[in-house]
Amino acid sequence: MRRTRLRHLGLAGLLVLGSLSAVGTLPASAAEAPSPSPSSSAEQPASAGLLDAMQRDFGLTRAEAEDRLAAERDATDLEPAARRAAGKAFGGSWFDADAGKLTVAVTSDATPSTLRAVRATGAEIRTVEHSAQQLDAAKARVDRLDAPAGVSSWHVDQKAGALVVDVVEGQRADNDVQSFVKQARESGPVTVRTVPSAPQTFAAGTVGGDPYYTGNVRCSIGFSVHGGFVTAGHCGQAGASVSGWDRSYIGTFQGSSFPDNDYAWVSVGSGWWTVPVVLGWGTVSDQLVRGSNVAPVGASICRSGSTTHWHCGTVLAHNQTVNYSDGAVVHQLTKTSVCAEGGDSGGSFISGDQAQGVTSGGWGNCSSGGETWYQPVNEILNRYGLTLQTA
């Protein structure tokens, strides 16, 4: 029965079954920290389904979608070199979708030789007041504060050159919120923005569909690693048993961290095994995973989950601290404009063919829209010494 339901497995990520076992893998050393892997996307044309999703979610023509994906691959590949060229003057980077190029911020004290070196990489330059190191230090100071429920999250906005504090609509006048913002401003440059509602995690109780279960909690698988898969930490604690869409035993949570982080990994057995695939749920073709190069702010990104299946959006910010409505604070998340709903937790975020992270939580839904955060996959691999399965 398992073999007949590959396209409909509610594993919202990578745990698929035997009839896909012919897909090849290129294992890397688990002892080494994951490093940016050479993207083979330039040699692998985007699937028709992915291009259709880009056209639907971004309002692009097919040619525009192809051009954007190519430009994003170029930006992702050159960002490490541009960062090194900027050195201490580095103020951040992002993908400019309109220009189709990577923009690198450098501080006003950058030397002419530094500017030449950055331009030589092909990146555009913007001059800013604060370095990325200074902004990250300011955020680290804010991370030590106790956030009230009215503060949704905070992150470094490298475009704005400031620390952005998101406050839940209607809560800005709250005394605790005002006190938090005041203390945050003492740490560095701060901009306050309003968001419609407080974020929440996307786990769900037992409902129909194609999930994986931990007790009565349903979540979604993120990415295959050698020996198992990675997912969200709030979906289960170490030692918890995991069952699949058909309630048969899959494996056990070997490590889990939540709050502070939101990641976990599950070992698999009992006839289940893993391949480097993200389910497209019929919206797009199932996507092969070829690496885990980090997509810059501004790049397109898509998510696969067991409730709302396949949706796309844009990377909005890296290294964001989120204060969930239940009081759990999670650090180093990436913010996106992609929607999600209950049961999508732990599911895959992928940009092109590069794994990005596992769904943590957000606000809104896929009817009216919303924003979602993911835990970067490379951090999970580093934490547990895992190796991502790639095609």
Side-chain angles (χ1 to χ4, degrees):
M1 179 176 179
R2 291 182 188 170
R3 294 175 183 267
T4 65
R5 298 197 57 192
L6 283 174
R7 296 288 178 172
H8 306 289
L9 283 178
L11 301 180
L14 314 208
L15 189 61
V16 294
L17 307 174
S19 63
L20 287 182
S21 62
V23 177
T25 60
L26 296 174
S29 171
E32 296 175 354
S35 57
S37 51
S39 172
S40 57
S41 300
E43 302 172 4
Q44 301 290 333
S47 69
L50 176 58
L51 293 172
D52 288 343
M54 294 282 289
Q55 293 174 77
R56 178 198 67 196
D57 292 340
F58 289 100
L60 303 175
T61 66
R62 190 177 189 84
E64 288 170 339
E66 291 173 336
D67 288 345
R68 175 161 178 169
L69 288 171
E72 289 176 355
R73 286 194 296 268
D74 290 343
T76 298
D77 289 344
L78 71 83
E79 197 279 341
R83 178 189 292 262
R84 288 193 297 270
K88 293 182 179 179
F90 180 73
S93 64
W94 57 90
F95 177 74
D96 185 333
D98 292 331
K101 290 186 176 182
L102 181 75
T103 298
V104 173
V106 295
T107 53
S108 55
D109 60 354
T111 65
S113 61
T114 295
L115 297 177
R116 286 194 297 271
V118 175
R119 288 194 182 96
T121 67
E124 298 292 321
I125 290 180
R126 179 183 295 182
T127 302
V128 295
E129 181 179 354
H130 304 285
S131 70
Q133 186 176 17
Q134 290 171 325
L135 293 173
D136 288 343
K139 180 182 177 294
R141 290 190 286 271
V142 176
D143 282 346
R144 292 192 284 269
L145 302 178
D146 290 328
V151 174
S152 168
S153 63
W154 54 97
H155 72 280
V156 171
D157 186 334
Q158 295 169 339
K159 285 186 182 180
L163 185 66
V164 174
V165 176
D166 289 329
V167 175
V168 178
E169 190 173 15
Q171 298 294 311
R172 193 159 180 170
D174 179 82
N175 289 336
D176 290 338
V177 171
Q178 289 186 336
S179 176
F180 181 91
V181 171
K182 180 181 178 181
Q183 294 178 75
R185 291 190 191 281
E186 294 172 355
S187 299
V190 166
T191 298
V192 179
R193 297 177 184 170
T194 301
V195 295
S197 59
Q200 58 185 348
T201 54
F202 285 127
T206 301
V207 296
D210 286 324
Y212 83 82
Y213 297 95
T214 306
N216 67 342
V217 172
R218 174 168 63 86
C219 283
S220 302
I221 287 174
F223 294 97
S224 281
V225 296
H226 293 286
F229 64 84
V230 294
T231 187
H234 69 264
C235 291
Q237 298 181 344
S241 178
V242 175
S243 58
W245 61 270
D246 60 354
R247 291 294 190 168
S248 67
Y249 175 74
I250 294 177
T252 305
F253 277 86
Q254 296 298 316
S256 178
S257 179
F258 180 82
D260 185 30
N261 307 293
D262 194 4
Y263 51 59
W265 84 280
V266 175
S267 61
V268 302
S270 300
W272 296 77
W273 60 81
T274 58
V275 292
V277 172
V278 173
L279 294 178
W281 297 100
T283 302
V284 301
S285 301
D286 294 348
Q287 302 293 299
L288 290 174
V289 178
R290 300 185 184 278
S292 57
N293 291 335
V294 178
V297 169
S300 62
I301 193 166
C302 298
R303 180 192 56 74
S304 182
S306 63
T307 299
T308 58
H309 298 174
W310 184 272
H311 287 273
C312 298
T314 304
V315 178
L316 299 178
H318 293 299
N319 191 24
Q320 185 154 8
T321 301
V322 176
N323 183 31
Y324 284 122
S325 56
D326 61 0
V329 176
V330 181
H331 302 92
Q332 296 180 319
L333 298 181
T334 296
K335 181 181 181 180
T336 77
S337 63
V338 187
C339 67
E341 296 179 13
D344 286 328
S345 277
S348 322
F349 268 91
I350 187 168
S351 182
D353 56 13
Q354 300 294 303
Q356 299 299 310
V358 301
T359 304
S360 176
W363 60 265
N365 55 56
C366 289
S367 297
S368 59
E371 294 177 334
T372 303
W373 288 268
Y374 64 80
Q375 181 85 63
V377 68
N378 285 336
E379 181 182 356
I380 310 174
L381 302 178
N382 282 327
R383 170 62 179 83
Y384 294 116
L386 302 170
T387 301
L388 184 71
Q389 277 198 318
T390 56

